[in-house]
Amino acid sequence: AQLESELISERTKLAMEQAKKQGYHVGRPPKLFEKVYVDGHLKLKPTETAILIYELYTKKRKTIRQIARAVKESPATVWRSIKIMERLN
């Protein structure tokens, strides 16, 4: 039973790694992003707030703290949203 469990775990980890390389999201979707399934895999779609945060950061050159106050989110959520948007673009 232990050997079988290890084999299943190894196959699962390999599949998750391949999905990540193909641009699919693995795990819980972050705040400010919607779940969209493509070919049975989870992809992330930014909400209007995530798009606004990214535009304020890149085009208006606002600080993380200023953006967080404007959209009423924590600075950590704002920063995470920016990083994910950079990966998606």
Side-chain angles (χ1 to χ4, degrees):
Q2 179 69 27
L3 177 62
E4 188 175 333
S5 176
E6 289 174 6
L7 289 173
I8 291 170
S9 176
E10 187 175 321
R11 281 195 308 264
T12 302
K13 287 177 184 174
L14 284 172
M16 287 171 54
E17 192 175 304
Q18 285 179 334
K20 278 186 178 182
K21 286 180 183 175
Q22 294 175 357
Y24 296 110
H25 182 74
V26 178
R28 180 175 179 242
K31 192 173 180 180
L32 304 179
F33 289 85
E34 297 173 359
K35 296 187 269 187
V36 177
Y37 287 94
V38 177
D39 299 328
H41 295 285
L42 179 64
K43 283 218 170 217
L44 297 177
K45 179 183 173 194
T47 61
E48 288 181 22
T49 306
I51 294 168
L52 174 65
I53 287 170
Y54 192 66
E55 288 176 357
L56 287 172
Y57 185 73
T58 56
K59 294 178 182 162
K60 304 271 191 204
R61 298 287 186 203
K62 299 285 183 186
T63 66
I64 300 295
R65 192 164 296 210
Q66 289 170 333
I67 297 169
R69 281 193 206 115
V71 297
K72 296 184 177 147
E73 292 290 347
S74 74
T77 299
V78 169
W79 185 247
R80 190 176 310 112
S81 172
I82 291 167
K83 290 298 170 194
I84 293 169
M85 288 294 289
E86 286 175 346
R87 270 191 282 144
L88 294 177
N89 288 334

